[in-house]
Amino acid sequence: WQQLPASEDGRLNLHALVTCLADLEFNEVHVEAGPTLAGALVLAGLVDEFLVYQAPVLLGSGRPMLHLSGMENFDDRLHLELVERRQMGSDTRFLFRPLKPSATA
């Protein structure tokens, strides 16, 4: 095992992690994470797809799906392309891909 370097904020360097996984011949990684790691992966540009399940229920307060610091303004939003929508019982499964900034203009 090799030790991976830290990022500037002292957390795991996600680009180094992905490079290490590629060196180990991983070509696909599924991440089910909390909002901090999920947001960090998005902000690092390391997310190719979002798989989102929506159930027909309402809850009180909760945590966000992603913590995206630096993307609080409407102009900073990340546009997504809906690739697939599938009904799974009473739930709906969505597959989204991030659009490149030039594709949203």
Side-chain angles (χ1 to χ4, degrees):
W1 296 98
Q2 73 181 54
Q3 185 167 346
L4 296 174
S7 63
E8 291 179 11
D9 63 1
R11 295 177 183 258
L12 176 65
N13 183 315
L14 296 173
H15 287 280
L17 173 61
V18 170
T19 298
C20 180
L21 292 172
D23 291 345
L24 293 169
E25 299 184 8
F26 283 75
N27 60 12
E28 189 169 309
V29 177
H30 293 252
V31 178
E32 185 173 339
T36 302
L37 177 56
L41 288 164
V42 170
L43 292 173
L46 297 173
V47 176
D48 294 324
E49 297 180 334
F50 295 92
L51 190 55
V52 179
Y53 292 86
Q54 182 181 33
V57 298
L58 296 176
L59 299 172
S61 61
R63 295 181 66 191
M65 185 171 90
L66 302 164
H67 177 70
L68 298 170
S69 62
M71 290 182 68
E72 289 84 10
N73 296 316
F74 193 71
D75 291 339
D76 300 327
R77 65 194 181 272
L78 175 64
H79 291 269
L80 303 174
E81 171 190 16
L82 176 61
V83 176
E84 179 182 331
R85 177 179 31 223
R86 183 183 309 170
Q87 200 66 34
M88 302 184 73
S90 62
D91 295 350
T92 306
R93 175 188 183 263
F94 298 92
L95 177 63
F96 295 102
R97 290 201 182 113
L99 290 174
K100 304 285 186 241
S102 61
T104 63

